[in-house]
Amino acid sequence: MTTRRKFIAGAGVGALAAPLATPVLAQSTITWRMQTYAGPALAEHVVKPAIDMFNQIAGDRMQIELFFADQLVPTGELFQAMQRGTIDAVQSDDDSMASPTEVTVFGGYFPFASRYSLDVPVLFNQYGLNEIWDEEYSKVGVKHISAGAWDPCHFATKDPINSLEDLKGKRIFTFPTAGRFLTQFGVVPVTLPWEDIEVAVQTGELDGIAWSGITEDYTVGWADVTNYFLTNNISGAWAGSFFANMDRWNELPDDLKTLFRVCCDQSHYYRQWWYWGGEASLRVNGPKMELTTIPDAEWAQVEEAAVKFWDEIAAESETKAKVVDIIKTYNATMQKAGRPYRYG
């Protein structure tokens, strides 16, 4: 790791994170180092276009060097590195980077909190989650900049999953909170570095993955080592954010703060259509994985268990209870609104 870090800190950075048009940097150029949760293939879609755009517009006033999953520090250490200022900014979910806040459990895939990707920005921008996240991260010296949605959470497995019984004993790479929820159905959550997942499936260390939708399975190579894709999902969208060290953020001029926010919003927008279209197209046209489905009546057990899980989380603190109440209110509103917001 030490050798790797020295390499990345030196000449390797330009090749890894070259912007669209690299300006001649002035002595006064502000430089940030930012690490994403995503590996190189996935980062090409979920973050790199936005950072390239920022660098091109900011020019010699500011440049952001982008690093991919585990390049500077392991994903589980991202929060600490950002809090210390070792890394200036991060793109991740709260859960994966183990942030010490009351809202960490809701990052990534909080079971059945959302059904569609649009649910996430509505919860943050219209139902008060932005204010709660801002308050929680401000307490620990980190600026929560912007939250958005990614893909839904599905199982990609070597063996077919046609019933809840088929989940028992399956060693699955997934997020901490999703894994905690799924253990009641016999799933064995496994934590490994992101870059090791494909090989772990090939060697039998893992039976499958519950970390993404089908778009990522194809993009990062997991569709090449798994045979089946379960159409039931445990969440409609991954919830992730852009974060920055509070001191570094406060040092920025207001116009650069605005530019960074605009580029974050562009990233959120890109993902909305890239995932939405990709999930449907690859289910219909993708040649690599066979689709399986657990019947609705049986899957209802998982959905009912999620509501009980929400109550367990709400009992842990006042802030968690507040977030759970918002999620319940939101979903009840969507259900009452009917089509196209909710079906059935």
Side-chain angles (χ1 to χ4, degrees), residues 111-251:
F112 297 97
S114 63
R115 183 171 293 188
Y116 307 118
S117 56
L118 277 176
D119 292 338
V120 173
V122 174
L123 278 163
F124 274 86
N125 294 303
Q126 294 186 358
Y127 279 73
L129 294 194
N130 265 337
E131 290 75 14
I132 296 173
W133 259 246
D134 182 71
E135 182 179 351
E136 284 298 307
Y137 279 97
S138 294
K139 293 176 184 175
V140 290
V142 165
K143 177 63 179 176
H144 177 259
I145 298 168
S146 183
W150 274 250
D151 49 342
C153 184
H154 293 261
F155 285 87
T157 54
K158 295 173 76 172
D159 299 321
I161 305 295
N162 294 299
S163 68
L164 293 181
E165 185 67 26
D166 292 337
L167 290 174
K168 291 183 178 177
K170 293 291 190 292
R171 292 160 297 180
I172 302 293
F173 172 66
T174 189
F175 291 84
T177 300
R180 174 180 165 184
F181 171 69
L182 290 168
T183 55
Q184 63 188 293
F185 301 102
V187 170
V188 180
V190 179
T191 301
L192 291 170
W194 189 91
E195 63 185 11
D196 295 342
I197 303 310
E198 187 172 343
V199 172
V201 175
Q202 290 175 303
T203 61
E205 186 179 354
L206 288 174
D207 298 305
I209 302 157
W211 202 83
S212 70
I214 199 168
T215 305
E216 285 191 18
D217 291 334
Y218 273 79
T219 302
V220 306
W222 294 339
D224 297 324
V225 296
T226 54
N227 303 314
Y228 299 93
F229 180 85
L230 182 65
T231 61
N232 312 76
N233 62 57
I234 65 165
S235 180
W238 189 76
S241 298
F242 290 90
F243 304 87
N245 174 279
M246 186 68 79
D247 290 338
R248 298 291 80 74
W249 178 257
N250 289 338
E251 289 167 1

Side-chain angles (χ1 to χ4, degrees), residues 249-269:
W249 178 257
N250 289 338
E251 289 167 1
L252 291 184
D254 286 344
D255 63 333
L256 288 179
K257 290 178 182 177
T258 299
L259 175 59
F260 191 83
R261 288 186 182 278
V262 168
C263 291
C264 289
D265 284 344
Q266 189 279 335
S267 178
H268 296 323
Y269 171 67

